[in-house]
Each structure stands twice: as structure tokens, then as C-alpha cells.
Amino acid sequence: QVQLVESGGGSMQAGGSLRLSCAASGRTASSCAVGWFRQAPGKEREFVAGISWSGRITKYSDSVKGRFSISRVNARNTVQLRMDNLDPEDTAVYYCAAVWDRSGMGTYTRVDEYNYWGQGTRVTVSS
């Protein structure tokens, strides 16, 4: 089992920055690929960014590429999502998700590829 706890959400004006953190615990937490997803009101949950458990492979959605950055810290048990140049379209509840990955190089973009989810943290961007 892997437990995920997100933090760092809040309110920000457009053009500002926020950093989200996902703290993973559990026996296999450091061997999991991790992804960030978001869900805006009335919309489906969508992929934002993903990172392999090795930290060497990252992937971003087109809507955040160049503005968001994902990284692993603390012996790979914490994954951060740095969000710059925020836009009101980034307003959503952000979820951290994890899946055990033997290869260490996998990144996953679909909701159904992940086994573990955090409770979410809300990000509100005003214009």
C-alpha cells in the first residue's frame, strides 16, 4: 500500500506561481511512478505531469508544458509540481497519483493506470 498526501494548494493571481507537494509513504513508495492530475468543476480528471520513480523521465500535458515542472526530492518519496505563469484555466483540484513501476523509467498519463490517489488540493487562479 502507498499513501499519498498533497499540500501547497491555494489561491493565486494570474501570472503567479505555486508549488504543490506530494508526500508518499509505504513500503514501495520510492519505486512508484507518480503523476499529477487535475479536475475542474464539470470536467473530467486530466493528466498534468508525470515522473518515473528514477526521476529521469518526465512528461507534461501540452497545456502546461513550459510552465510547470515536476521533480522528485527526499530520496524520491516526495514529488513536487512547480507551477509558474498560472492562468485561470489552471483552476482545479489537483491530485497526486502513484503506480508501482519495476522499470524505473515509466511515466503514465491515464487515470486508470494509477493504483493510488491522494485526497487532492485545490488551486484557484484569479484574473
Side-chain angles (χ1 to χ4, degrees), residues 15-80:
S17 298
L18 281 174
R19 184 172 64 191
L20 306 183
S21 290
C22 172
S25 61
R27 195 162 61 91
T28 59
S30 62
S31 300
C32 285
V34 173
W36 282 97
F37 290 75
R38 67 187 181 187
Q39 189 164 18
K43 295 187 177 181
E44 291 189 353
R45 193 168 297 190
E46 65 173 359
F47 172 77
V48 174
I51 190 166
S52 63
W53 74 250
S54 67
R56 284 182 280 179
I57 307 296
T58 58
K59 190 173 292 184
Y60 299 91
S61 67
D62 288 343
S63 62
V64 307
K65 199 173 295 183
R67 299 188 299 122
F68 290 13
S69 177
I70 189 170
S71 61
R72 301 193 81 125
V73 297
N74 295 342
R76 304 199 301 266
N77 283 353
T78 298
V79 174
Q80 294 184 337

Side-chain angles (χ1 to χ4, degrees), residues 8-10 12 15-20 36 38 48 64 67-70 80-86 90 94 121-125:
M12 179 59 63
S17 298
L18 281 174
R19 184 172 64 191
L20 306 183
W36 282 97
R38 67 187 181 187
V48 174
V64 307
R67 299 188 299 122
F68 290 13
S69 177
I70 189 170
Q80 294 184 337
L81 183 68
R82 170 77 180 187
M83 306 186 295
D84 293 323
N85 194 20
L86 283 163
D90 296 318
Y94 283 71
T121 185
R122 187 175 300 276
V123 172
T124 303
V125 184

